[in-house]
């Protein structure tokens, strides 16, 4: 089964797509929707219902190492990514669902255009099952080095109880029983905060709390528009990337969301080995199954499609290998 053929069950069936931008799975893109496992994929910002939107808006130049792709956000991007060295950026695996753009494509980092030549997609993210979120990782490869300072990855493995900063360009609105209107983000970057509640299953899990339940001054949660974006944690005056926006539910107080965790040995090893090898490495979540049978996948240029073994895999082996992992309920 070719990678692109294994994705279809993960997307929602829709009568129309949103104007001006194509959204991969995990987006709220339709009037009529078929849900996969009951979860919405996320990444822009839901805010407190007692705060002005302007309090959350921030100039994108504040975070030059965070960028939308494959186009600029103003031109209709699908996802977001964050530089972790001068030629690699971390994002979400689910951004490469069926129908999503494939490298090569251009991105703007610090107002400089760079070509993304390939993407290493975590081989244990099951597009049919829409998870697990703990394996929702991919690495973008730049064909030229960026001069923008990248973010170091958080390594302390003590995220529980810590405040994280989350970013998003997409749909926004106050916490409520209903979802916000589509494409209402105004192409503005918003920044909010939340507290990590748990790290089980290789994810950073958090809840949108109400003011009555001790919400932070700029309490926020991820929503539709910029999957793959970062969760930052500050330690001793340095900002680290601790997570990659994956999925959750929305949009009321009490809703929960998840970021793929980067500090775990599993994530760190996978990222380091994939960059070293120049291809997606095998992956394992501690306490789960042995995932050595999850074959490497590299989403590369059209020229690579002549050799489908580069990103082909056995869907049966894939699902068996990953079935023991925590994922969507």
């Amino acid at each position: 089964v070719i990678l692109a053929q294994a994705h279809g069950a993960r997307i929602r069936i829709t009568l129309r797509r949103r104007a001006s931008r194509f959204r991969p799975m995990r987006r709220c893109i339709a009037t009529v929707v078929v849900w996969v496992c009951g979860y919405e994929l996320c990444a822009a910002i839901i805010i407190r219902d007692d705060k002005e939107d302007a309090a959350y808006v921030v100039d994108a130049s504040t975070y030059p190492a965070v960028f939308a792709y494959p186009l600029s956000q103003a031109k209709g991007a699908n996802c977001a990514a964050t530089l972790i060295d001068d030629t690699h950026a971390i994002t979400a695996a689910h951004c490469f669902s069926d129908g999503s753009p494939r490298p090569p494509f251009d991105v703007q980092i610090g107002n400089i255009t760079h070509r993304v030549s390939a993407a290493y997609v975590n081989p244990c993210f099951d597009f049919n099952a829409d998870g697990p979120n703990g394996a929702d990782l991919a690495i973008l490869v730049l064909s030229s080095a960026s001069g923008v300072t990248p973010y170091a990855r958080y390594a302390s493995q003590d995220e529980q109880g810590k405040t994280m900063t989350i970013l998003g360009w997409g749909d926004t609105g106050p916490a409520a029983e209903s979802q916000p209107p589509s494409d209402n983000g105004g192409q503005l970057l918003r920044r909010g905060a939340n507290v990590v509640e748990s790290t089980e299953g290789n994810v950073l899990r958090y809840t949108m709390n109400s003011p009555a339940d001790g919400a932070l001054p700029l309490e926020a949660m991820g929503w539709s528009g910029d999957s793959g974006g970062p969760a930052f944690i500050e330690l001793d005056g340095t900002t680290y990337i601790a997570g990659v926006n994956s999925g959750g539910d929305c949009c009321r107080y009490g809703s929960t969301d998840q970021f793929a965790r980067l500090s775990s040995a599993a994530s760190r090893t996978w990222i380091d080995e994939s960059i070293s090898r120049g291809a997606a490495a095998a992956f394992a979540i501690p306490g789960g199954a042995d995932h050595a049978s999850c074959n490497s996948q590299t989403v590369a240029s059209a020229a690579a499609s002549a050799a489908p073994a580069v990103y082909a895999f056995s869907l049966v082996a894939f699902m068996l290998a990953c079935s023991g992992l925590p994922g969507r309920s």
Side-chain angles (χ1 to χ4, degrees):
V1 180
I2 301 301
L3 178 63
Q5 296 174 329
H7 302 169
R10 185 163 183 258
I11 63 174
R12 292 188 290 283
I13 299 174
T14 176
L15 293 183
R16 66 174 179 86
R17 72 177 188 179
R18 290 179 174 175
S20 79
R21 73 177 79 168
F22 172 81
R23 306 279 180 108
M25 69 271 167
R26 298 196 173 207
R27 300 298 189 277
C28 178
I29 57 177
T31 301
V32 177
V33 178
V34 175
W35 295 92
V36 179
C37 302
Y39 263 66
E40 176 62 41
L41 293 170
C42 30
I45 299 295
I46 297 299
I47 66 176
R48 287 173 52 151
D49 62 359
D50 62 345
K51 296 286 186 179
E52 294 294 328
D53 177 66
Y56 290 84
V57 175
V58 62
D59 195 304
S61 64
T62 308
Y63 297 94
V66 182
F67 59 93
Y69 71 90
L71 302 170
S72 68
Q73 186 64 30
K75 295 180 180 178
N78 297 324
C79 285
T82 305
L83 282 178
I84 54 174
D85 65 34
D86 61 359
T87 56
H88 297 91
I90 193 74
T91 188
H94 76 255
C95 291
F96 294 95
S97 63
D98 187 20
S100 299
R102 295 290 194 268
F105 52 73
D106 290 338
V107 297
Q108 287 189 321
I109 306 173
N111 295 321
I112 302 297
T113 299
H114 292 269
R115 173 60 56 100
V116 173
S117 59
Y120 309 147
V121 179
N122 190 304
C124 273
F125 185 85
D126 186 339
F127 289 89
N128 284 333
D130 193 25
N133 286 352
D136 195 3
L137 296 171
I139 300 168
L140 303 184
V141 183
L142 304 182
S143 59
S144 59
S146 171
V148 171
T149 301
Y151 285 97
R153 287 170 278 155
Y154 195 74
S156 296
Q157 299 187 34
D158 60 353
E159 300 96 334
Q160 187 169 344
K162 291 191 178 297
T163 298
M164 59 181 179
T165 298
I166 61 178
L167 303 174
W169 276 279
D171 297 347
T172 188
E177 292 298 321
S178 59
Q179 299 169 1
S182 301
D183 298 312
N184 72 340
Q187 300 158 4
L188 299 174
L189 182 63
R190 290 172 176 82
R191 174 180 62 194
N194 213 300
V195 176
V196 179
E197 293 182 335
S198 70
T199 59
E200 294 179 2
N202 205 46
V203 298
L204 306 179
R205 188 188 312 270
Y206 67 101
T207 299
M208 182 71 182
N209 289 316
S210 69
D213 290 328
L216 297 176
L218 291 179
E219 182 94 0
M221 74 177 301
W223 178 232
S224 174
D226 288 291
S227 289
F232 291 127
I233 290 179
E234 186 171 321
L235 179 65
D236 297 329
T238 300
T239 299
Y240 297 88
I241 180 170
V244 169
N245 195 298
S246 184
D249 57 8
C250 197
C251 295
R252 63 191 180 278
Y253 289 126
S255 294
T256 61
D257 187 36
Q258 298 176 11
F259 283 75
R261 188 187 188 197
L262 298 185
S263 72
S264 67
S267 293
R268 295 190 68 83
T269 298
W270 182 78
I271 293 169
D272 292 341
E273 289 188 356
S274 296
I275 290 174
S276 176
R277 293 176 51 189
F283 186 71
I285 292 179
D290 178 5
H291 304 290
S293 60
C294 290
N295 298 325
S296 299
Q297 306 175 48
T298 298
V299 182
S301 66
S305 65
V310 172
Y311 52 87
F313 61 95
S314 166
L315 183 59
V316 173
F318 179 96
M319 295 181 70
L320 288 175
C322 294
S323 61
L325 294 179
R328 304 211 180 286
S329 57

